[in-house]
């Protein structure tokens, strides 16, 4: 029994907790132990539990090989506190678990964690500004709506190009988009793109849409340096000068031959401690509390690296600009330190990469409420960030292009044909009914053919059209809708019946031919001289 991959979606942290508890209770080896001249059945030592659970977490694709033994001990402490395990005397509720020979056992029952109840977030998708959206502050209530009747004449006017007739038209300029309209478009399309990448029906349980600031998204896209780092308008939110200097010092650590390098022993450790202390005392993690569930949900896509990078790109666009800038500088420093072979050890007993992850994981991602696996999830996320930070902290080009094209489209003029009733205000449907795949295929195949077939019959039976005009329209209809035309005229004979050939008049005989019928050929004598 192995760890199944928990994909993106709501309550992912709770699902991972329950999955780990079930595996631990089902697979942890139990045997007989002796303690103080007494034997105990079906139990295990603390060290055995750490060994087994550590190996399980490292081999799990939900957590990865970066999980340390110390983190495994922390998780077992939470197991003891939540009565997943108890000591051999039945005591539990305290986090006094240690990596030693103390005996523990499973209680008769270990209830799984219920899914947390969260406030209902906004379900309705944000509406894009359309052609006829009224200016802000106007009401659409009690406005009479003229019903739209689609007859053959209107169909010809709306599809005049398809049938070869382009009537006179005029240009109608749209209402100018306000700054608020553009911000709503950026917010709505960004969230829709994120929902599509995550493969979710709704972002309701993952993200509170009301807390997403569209100004942050636009700033993170356009206010950047040549290196792609966010430029802040409010300089008071910048990193302190002494922190930035310390980060540059470690990121650009010189070779040992450089005389400018400080010579006292342990200088680099003091600089690193200065940076770690600053980031460790932030009031909120860099990825913010309200985006915790969104980032944890993206962790379910790590098996599909390209999709995970794309989802992280979008989530990082939702960050406040000052948080995004601090994250960009921190990740760049961490990556450079790990790749610098000349960097002296910054901690005894820990590798540089492990030290980076363990030191900064909590200041990058953590939950406002107590989440039992948040430390392991943060390690998993930071590890992936370090390996792909250059791609993740870029602006997703496909999303930016799509939104810019949408805004440009809404600012273009409208071509309006007379009589096309494009000023009619239509009431939007309040809901969509889900249909079966079979019904969808039927509607796709036959839903649009029935009105086209009726239109073709009107052209055929129209007595006002001359034969020449009717042939012209039918030929253009056949070119535009060959399937509908083929169904109506399956054979050339059926098409020929529509235009029967008129009988040709017999040629009049010459009068002399009637008076002198043909005579047999007779040889005449020649008149030779």
């Amino acid at each position: 029994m192995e760890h199944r991959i928990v994909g993106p979606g709501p309550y992912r942290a709770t699902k991972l907790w329950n999955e780990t508890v079930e595996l631990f209770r089902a697979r942890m080896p139990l045997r007989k132990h002796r303690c103080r001249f007494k034997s105990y059945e079906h139990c295990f030592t603390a060290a055995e539990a750490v060994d087994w659970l550590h190996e399980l977490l490292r081999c799990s694709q939900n957590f990865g090989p970066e999980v340390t033994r110390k983190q495994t001990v922390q998780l077992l402490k939470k197991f003891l506190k939540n009565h997943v395990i108890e000591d051999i005397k039945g005591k539990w509720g305290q986090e006094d678990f240690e990596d030693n020979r103390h005996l523990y056992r499973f209680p008769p029952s270990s209830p799984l964690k219920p899914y947390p109840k969260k406030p209902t977030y906004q379900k309705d998708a944000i509406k894009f500004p359309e052609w006829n959206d009224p200016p802000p502050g106007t009401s659409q209530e009690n406005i009479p709506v003229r019903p739209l009747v689609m007859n053959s004449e209107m169909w010809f006017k709306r599809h005049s190009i398809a049938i070869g007739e382009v009537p006179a038209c005029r240009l109608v300029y749209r209402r100018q988009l306000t700054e608020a309209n553009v911000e709503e478009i950026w917010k709505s399309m960004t969230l829709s793109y994120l929902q599509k990448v995550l493969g979710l029906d709704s972002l309701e349980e993952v993200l509170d849409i009301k807390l997403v600031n569209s100004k942050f998204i636009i700033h993170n896209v356009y206010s950047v340096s040549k290196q792609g780092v966010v430029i802040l308008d409010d300089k008071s939110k910048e990193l302190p000068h002494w922190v930035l200097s310390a980060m540059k010092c470690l990121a650009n650590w010189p070779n040992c031959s450089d005389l400018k390098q400080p010579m006292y022993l342990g200088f680099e450790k003091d600089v690193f401690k200065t940076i770690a202390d600053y980031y460790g005392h932030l009031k909120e993690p860099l990825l913010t509390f309200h985006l915790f569930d969104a980032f944890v949900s993206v962790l379910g896509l790590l098996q599909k690296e390209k999709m995970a990078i794309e989802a992280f790109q979008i989530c990082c666009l939702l960050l406040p600009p000052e948080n995004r800038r601090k994250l960009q500088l921190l990740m760049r420093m961490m990556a450079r330190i790990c790749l610098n072979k000349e960097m002296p050890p910054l901690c005894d007993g820990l590798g540089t990469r492990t030290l980076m992850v363990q030191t900064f994981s909590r200041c990058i991602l953590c939950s406002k409420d107590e989440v039992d696996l948040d430390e392991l999830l943060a390690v998993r996320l930071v590890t992936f960030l370090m390996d792909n930070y250059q791609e993740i902290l870029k602006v997703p080009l496909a999303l930016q292009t799509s939104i810019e094209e949408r805004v440009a489209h809404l600012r273009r003029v409208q071509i309006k044909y007379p009589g096309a009733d494009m000023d009619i205000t239509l009431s939007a449907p309040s809901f969509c009914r889900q249909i079966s795949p079979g019904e969808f295929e039927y509607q796709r195949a036959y839903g649009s053919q029935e009105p086209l077939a009726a239109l073709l019959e009107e052209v055929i039976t129209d007595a006002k059209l001359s034969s020449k005009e009717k042939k012209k329209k039918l030929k253009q209809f056949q070119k535009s809708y060959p399937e509908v035309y083929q169904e109506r005229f399956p054979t050339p004979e059926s098409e020929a019946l529509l235009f029967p050939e008129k009988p040709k008049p017999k040629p009049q005989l010459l009068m002399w031919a009637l008076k002198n019928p043909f005579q047999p050929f007779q040889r005449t004598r020649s008149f030779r001289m």
Side-chain angles (χ1 to χ4, degrees):
M1 186 177 182
E2 298 179 353
H3 241 134
R4 65 182 180 88
I5 300 176
V6 179
Y11 315 120
R12 187 173 184 271
T14 304
K15 292 177 182 177
L16 287 173
W17 168 271
N18 291 339
E19 180 81 8
T20 305
V21 169
E22 288 179 342
L23 283 176
F24 184 56
R25 285 179 58 88
R27 299 295 303 274
M28 176 64 201
L30 306 177
R31 61 187 181 89
K32 182 178 179 180
H33 288 82
R34 290 182 61 84
C35 181
R36 296 180 181 179
F37 307 104
K38 188 175 181 180
S39 297
Y40 297 92
E41 299 285 347
H42 307 295
C43 58
F44 51 87
T45 66
E48 292 172 347
V50 175
D51 291 339
W52 191 91
L53 186 58
H54 184 215
E55 184 64 22
L56 174 70
L57 297 175
R58 292 182 72 254
C59 295
S60 171
Q61 296 182 356
N62 293 313
F63 300 104
E66 300 291 338
V67 178
T68 63
R69 189 176 181 88
K70 180 179 179 182
Q71 291 169 340
T72 307
V73 173
Q74 294 296 323
L75 179 57
L76 284 167
K77 287 184 177 181
K78 295 178 180 179
F79 278 2
L80 182 61
K81 181 179 180 181
N82 289 275
H83 205 194
V84 176
I85 58 176
E86 62 184 18
D87 72 359
I88 204 65
K89 297 181 181 180
K91 295 181 180 179
W92 61 279
Q94 301 293 328
E95 293 190 9
D96 54 356
F97 184 93
E98 299 292 340
D99 190 357
N100 52 27
R101 301 293 299 174
H102 195 75
L103 294 181
Y104 292 89
R105 68 188 180 191
F106 291 118
S109 62
S110 179
L112 302 179
K113 282 183 175 292
Y115 293 138
K117 295 182 179 180
K118 296 186 178 182
T120 303
Y121 296 148
Q122 177 180 348
K123 292 185 178 180
D124 299 333
I126 301 174
K127 186 178 182 296
F128 297 162
E130 296 294 346
W131 290 93
N132 301 316
D133 280 355
T138 61
S139 174
Q140 291 291 319
E141 298 180 358
N142 303 323
I143 297 179
V145 178
R146 181 156 58 93
L148 178 63
V149 180
M150 181 65 76
N151 53 25
S152 61
E153 181 181 359
M154 183 177 296
W155 193 97
F156 271 116
K157 290 177 179 178
R158 287 199 173 188
H159 300 77
S160 55
I161 296 178
I163 62 175
E165 296 179 356
V166 182
C169 61
R170 64 188 178 91
L171 298 180
V172 178
Y173 290 89
R174 304 186 181 191
R175 176 174 57 84
Q176 184 177 4
L177 289 179
T178 64
E179 183 179 353
N181 295 145
V182 176
E183 291 175 358
E184 288 298 303
I185 293 172
W186 272 93
K187 178 178 178 178
S188 179
M189 294 190 67
T190 302
L191 295 178
S192 298
Y193 207 76
L194 176 61
Q195 180 178 330
K196 180 181 177 181
V197 175
L198 292 178
L200 302 178
D201 295 330
S202 171
L203 294 176
E204 176 189 0
E205 302 293 347
V206 172
L207 182 65
D208 187 351
I209 298 178
K210 296 179 181 178
L211 298 179
V212 176
N213 193 325
S214 56
K215 295 182 183 294
F216 292 169
I217 302 175
I218 297 174
H219 187 100
N220 290 334
V221 171
Y222 293 110
S223 299
V224 294
S225 65
K226 294 181 180 180
Q227 292 76 26
V229 180
V230 175
I231 300 175
L232 300 181
D233 296 331
D234 187 356
K235 300 304 179 182
S236 64
K237 297 181 179 180
E238 286 274 10
L239 281 170
H241 178 71
W242 51 273
V243 176
L244 190 59
S245 298
M247 294 176 69
K248 288 181 179 179
C249 176
L250 291 185
N252 304 310
W253 186 260
N255 296 327
C256 295
S257 58
D258 194 335
L259 297 178
K260 296 181 180 180
Q261 180 181 358
M263 300 305 296
Y264 79 84
L265 186 64
F267 172 78
E268 67 282 350
K269 294 181 180 179
D270 292 342
V271 175
F272 181 76
K273 186 177 183 301
T274 300
I275 302 170
D277 288 344
Y278 172 79
Y279 276 95
H281 288 84
L282 294 176
K283 296 181 180 179
E284 187 179 30
L286 295 179
L287 300 185
T288 70
F289 288 134
H290 83 272
L291 291 176
F292 174 82
D293 289 331
F295 279 100
V296 170
S297 184
V298 177
L299 288 175
L301 292 175
L302 293 190
Q303 304 307 313
K304 304 174 182 178
E305 183 174 319
K306 185 176 180 181
M307 294 181 63
I309 291 175
E310 192 174 9
F312 275 127
Q313 284 179 335
I314 302 171
C315 287
C316 289
L317 281 183
L318 308 181
L319 296 173
E322 58 271 19
N323 287 40
R324 182 178 172 91
R325 176 175 172 83
K326 291 177 182 177
L327 180 65
Q328 288 174 319
L329 297 176
L330 177 62
M331 297 309 302
R332 186 169 63 176
M333 181 202 73
M334 293 169 62
R336 289 187 177 181
I337 290 177
C338 292
L339 295 175
N340 189 357
K341 297 181 180 180
E342 303 294 336
M343 174 65 67
L346 297 176
C347 179
D348 299 332
L350 278 180
T352 303
R353 180 183 173 89
T354 303
L355 176 65
M356 294 294 112
V357 174
Q358 299 300 324
T359 303
F360 297 107
S361 59
R362 293 285 296 176
C363 71
I364 293 177
L365 178 72
C366 70
S367 173
K368 187 175 183 178
D369 304 320
E370 182 180 359
V371 177
D372 293 312
L373 293 176
D374 59 352
E375 185 175 354
L376 296 179
L377 296 174
V379 169
R380 182 68 164 153
L381 182 142
V382 173
T383 302
F384 189 79
L385 274 179
M386 285 182 59
D387 295 335
N388 303 277
Y389 80 98
Q390 291 181 331
E391 289 293 325
I392 290 175
L393 295 177
K394 282 183 180 178
V395 176
L397 184 59
L399 174 63
Q400 181 181 355
T401 303
S402 177
I403 297 177
E404 289 175 348
E405 289 179 352
R406 173 69 178 174
V407 174
H409 171 71
L410 290 175
R411 286 172 172 165
R412 295 192 188 104
V413 296
Q414 172 191 6
I415 301 177
K416 182 173 180 180
Y417 298 99
D421 291 342
M422 297 191 72
D423 288 335
I424 295 178
T425 304
L426 300 178
S427 57
S430 57
F431 65 93
C432 296
R433 180 178 65 87
Q434 185 175 5
I435 62 176
S436 64
E439 188 177 356
F440 168 75
E441 294 295 335
Y442 176 83
Q443 291 183 5
R444 186 176 68 172
Y446 301 102
S448 61
Q449 292 187 1
E450 293 178 0
L452 290 174
L455 175 65
L456 179 59
E457 289 297 331
E458 288 189 21
V459 176
I460 294 172
T461 58
D462 193 348
K464 297 180 181 180
L465 294 176
S466 64
S467 297
K468 184 177 180 180
E469 293 176 345
K470 187 176 294 187
K471 286 182 179 180
K472 180 181 178 181
K473 290 184 180 293
L474 289 176
K475 184 176 181 180
Q476 292 168 345
F477 191 96
Q478 181 184 13
K479 185 178 180 180
S480 300
Y481 309 103
E483 295 180 357
V484 180
Y485 192 88
Q486 179 67 26
E487 186 176 355
R488 177 60 177 82
F489 299 108
T491 61
E493 290 77 11
S494 60
E495 185 178 5
L497 293 176
L498 185 61
F499 302 101
E501 295 184 1
K502 296 181 180 180
K504 296 182 179 180
K506 295 182 179 180
Q508 296 181 358
L509 297 178
L510 298 176
M511 295 304 295
W512 66 269
L514 293 176
K515 292 180 181 180
N516 301 307
F518 292 103
Q519 300 294 331
F521 178 77
Q522 296 179 1
R523 170 171 281 187
T524 60
R525 297 176 63 182
S526 62
F527 298 93
R528 293 184 178 178
M529 297 299 297

